[in-house]
Every structure is written in structure tokens, then in C-alpha cells.
Amino acid sequence: MKKTILITAVFFLTLTSFAQQRYFTKTAIVSFEAGTVLEDIDGLNKSTTSVLDAATGQVEFALLVKGFEFKRALMQEHFNENYMESDKYPKSVFKGKVTNLDKVNFQKDGTYPVTVKGTLEIHGIKKEVETTGTFNIKGGTVLSAAEFTVVLDDYQIAIPGVVKDKISKTAKIKVNCSYAVLQ
Amino acid sequence: MKRLKKILPVLFVIILAASGYGIYLYNKKPADLRKVNPEYELTAAALLEDFTKDETAANQKYLDKVIAVKGKVAMVNLGPKGQASVVMDSGDPLAAITCSFYDDEADAVKKINEGAEIVIKGKCTGKLMDVVLNECSINK
């Protein structure tokens, strides 16, 4: 009897340890588009870090605002100095959770739609956001993709009157990660 | 009226030149850092130490500057869309130096061996967990 209990206990322990993987990346890609018909405005950050805890569904992102790359030097300058004030607010962070974690099987290859909810901090302002996305599980790695829109005003990103027709009031943000298991 | 007629062509040329310059400035791409001389040259360990000791002072010193960092390659990462990055050992197990390369440097990055000593030049964008360098290239 004791042996059965012991074996069952060990069995269940190993089961849970399988699901408790933490996934990590230092090269997640975050891009944004805030342009209009008059002007295309987009930036790309290739060194976003992210952690995904498969056991709890917790997911966190952090990026350096100065890490956004642009195709025009002036755009980069204005982005950092005028809009994001990156000297004052050098980082942007998201801390949240996958709300439908029970629908994701990290051990089975496939594409799973997910909903993520949490706090997004941009330009020093924190706001609750929710978005849908996908987790693509493939042989032990997780590829994630999500797309959502933010209203610039919500984060006190001021657009001067002179350029208000060139810069959209909202920004479309795309996030793409290729997670590996955290050793 | 005669005066105006004389000034008009000169004015026209000035306006043309000014708008030409304006368009040039507007479309100017960010500088190609491969052609820029690094402002600081130091080891990966020294760079991380500066950031861990006093992040504010290190930010003041290194942010937005082109620096050349010498260290050992811990990991080479090639993303699905052609992005290339290298992680350099800093001696600290918890924090390293992450270097994100220009897309067209990907071929050169593919040839880097893990464990190799290398000098990478790039723009310092700050510290998350690692110190992050952007627009990197291999310094010859």
C-alpha cells in the first residue's frame, strides 16, 4: 500500500513538473505603426525580452525604448525626444497573464488561440489591456504572435498640432516571440 | 516692378535649395554605424560592471553612443525573419551583453562560433536584464 502511494505520488510529481516549464527570449520583436495616409511611421525593436510561465500563464515583456529602429533619422529623433521622452522613460513593460491557459497544451504541437490580459506601461503610464494572440507549439519551443492597438492619448503621448494629420491617434502594435525553454 | 523681376529668380533658387535640403534631411537614414568610430572600447565584463555599479551614470555615459565591446560569444541566435543576434559572456551568470545586428550582417553572424573571442561594435540602448547593443557589426 505504502509503495503504491509513493509511486503514485512520484508519478504525479513528474507530471506537474512537465507542465512547469518557463520559456524565455531576449530577441522578441515588437513593431508599431502610427502613420496615416500622409506619412508612414513605423518602428521596430528586435531586442525585447519576455518570460512565459507555462504553469501559471504569467507572461512579461520588457523593452528599451531607445531600441526601436526607424528608416529615417528624424523619425527616430522625434520618437525618442518628443513623443516617448525616452531619457525620462527608458523602458516599456507589460505584465500579464494568459487567461485561457487551460486551452493550451504545451506538450502537444499545434496552434492555440490565446487571450492575454495585463498591465501595459508606456511613457510612464500604466493601463490595463487585453488582446488575443496565438501560441504555436513546436517541438519544445513556443512561437507567439499578437497584435493590438493602443490610443496614444491614453499614455499621454502628445502629438503637436503641426503634425497631427501625419501621425495617427492610435498605434498598431505587433509582437512576435520565439521562446526557448529556460534552462 | 523691375526690382521684383530681378529678385524673383534668386528667391526661386533659394527656395528650391532650402526645400531640397529639407527633403534631404527628412529622408536621411540613420547613420550607418559600421562607418562610425566607436566612442568607447571596452570588455564585456567592464561594460556590465559599469551598469551594475551605477545604472544612471552608465546610462549617461553609454546611451546612444557607439561602443566596441570585446568578449566571448555565449550564444548565436538567428531568428526566423533573418534577424541576427549574439549574446556575449560578461562573467556574470545572470546578465550578459545582447547584440542585435543589422539584417544584412546575418551572413557574417552565421559564421561566428560559440566560445570565440570577438569585438562587436554597436549602439548602446540600455540595460534590461542584459546590456543591449543595437545596429551591431563585427569589428575588424
Side-chain angles (χ1 to χ4, degrees):
Chain A
M1 186 60 191
K2 257 197 192 159
K3 224 181 181 178
T4 327
I5 295 177
L6 189 63
I7 293 173
T8 322
V10 172
F11 179 67
F12 277 109
L13 266 174
T14 39
L15 266 188
T16 48
S17 70
F18 262 123
Q20 262 155 19
Q21 305 270 43
R22 290 178 83 210
Y23 296 89
F24 180 63
T25 175
K26 286 193 239 195
T27 50
I29 301 178
V30 174
S31 69
F32 75 88
E33 280 169 44
T36 58
V37 171
L38 288 178
E39 184 169 332
D40 56 337
I41 298 177
D42 38 316
L44 183 70
N45 189 312
K46 298 188 278 186
S47 31
T48 302
T49 57
S50 178
V51 185
L52 166 62
D53 190 334
T56 60
Q58 276 176 297
V59 57
E60 290 189 16
F61 286 86
L63 59 76
L64 291 162
V65 181
K66 290 202 183 218
F68 275 98
E69 295 176 26
F70 298 83
K71 55 178 181 277
R72 287 199 284 271
L74 270 183
M75 208 190 278
Q76 185 158 2
E77 207 177 291
H78 293 158
F79 175 77
N80 281 297
E81 286 171 29
N82 305 94
Y83 302 121
M84 293 295 278
E85 297 183 276
S86 48
D87 283 330
K88 259 171 68 190
Y89 312 106
K91 298 180 193 172
S92 193
V93 174
F94 172 80
K95 288 193 181 158
K97 214 165 155 158
V98 176
T99 54
N100 61 336
L101 190 67
D102 52 337
K103 301 275 181 352
V104 184
N105 185 346
F106 288 91
Q107 266 66 59
K108 185 161 171 216
D109 282 4
T111 307
Y112 302 86
V114 292
T115 311
V116 181
K117 194 167 170 185
T119 313
L120 176 59
E121 183 178 341
I122 303 179
H123 192 230
I125 311 282
K126 292 189 184 153
K127 281 202 85 68
E128 290 298 307
V129 297
E130 186 171 355
T131 177
T132 54
T134 54
F135 280 172
N136 189 332
I137 315 285
K138 212 163 162 187
T141 59
V142 179
L143 296 171
S144 80
E147 210 176 290
F148 59 97
T149 310
V150 293
V151 178
L152 298 186
D153 216 23
D154 284 353
Y155 300 91
Q156 292 182 8
I157 295 171
I159 303 171
V162 199
V163 290
K164 73 170 161 62
D165 290 329
K166 287 203 184 153
I167 301 176
S168 168
K169 292 199 175 54
T170 59
K172 185 158 89 174
I173 301 181
K174 288 191 194 167
V175 181
N176 283 88
C177 308
S178 179
Y179 291 99
V181 174
L182 184 60
Q183 305 293 352
Chain B
M1 199 53 213
K2 218 175 183 180
R3 254 242 207 101
L4 188 62
K5 262 196 164 166
K6 271 199 174 156
I7 295 178
L8 224 47
V10 180
L11 212 59
F12 182 67
V13 173
I14 292 177
I15 293 176
L16 205 62
S19 10
Y21 184 61
I23 294 174
Y24 159 74
L25 265 186
Y26 174 77
N27 282 317
K28 193 163 80 152
K29 296 200 179 91
D32 186 337
L33 298 185
R34 284 167 285 206
K35 305 195 182 111
V36 175
N37 278 327
E39 211 160 315
Y40 296 101
E41 289 184 41
L42 68 175
T43 62
L47 180 62
L48 185 69
E49 205 192 305
D50 277 352
F51 269 93
T52 350
K53 228 170 27 182
D54 186 343
E55 192 168 328
T56 320
N59 275 340
Q60 279 261 45
K61 187 172 178 190
Y62 297 114
L63 270 186
D64 286 336
K65 306 272 185 2
V66 181
I67 60 178
V69 184
K70 179 175 179 171
K72 194 160 79 163
V73 175
M75 194 166 75
V76 177
N77 209 315
L78 294 153
K81 296 187 190 163
Q83 331 93 277
S85 65
V86 165
V87 179
M88 273 206 280
D89 257 335
S90 67
D92 185 336
L94 290 177
I97 317 285
T98 297
C99 309
S100 172
F101 284 75
Y102 280 108
D103 281 349
D104 49 12
E105 291 283 320
D107 284 338
V109 175
K110 275 188 201 148
K111 300 190 187 127
I112 301 176
N113 290 318
E114 286 183 17
E117 278 285 331
I118 196 171
V119 179
I120 295 178
K121 178 170 75 174
K123 185 168 81 165
C124 183
T125 58
K127 180 175 184 289
L128 284 169
M129 268 181 52
D130 294 356
V131 177
V132 184
L133 266 58
N134 263 8
E135 295 167 83
C136 289
S137 52
I138 303 167
N139 218 19
K140 305 235 160 55

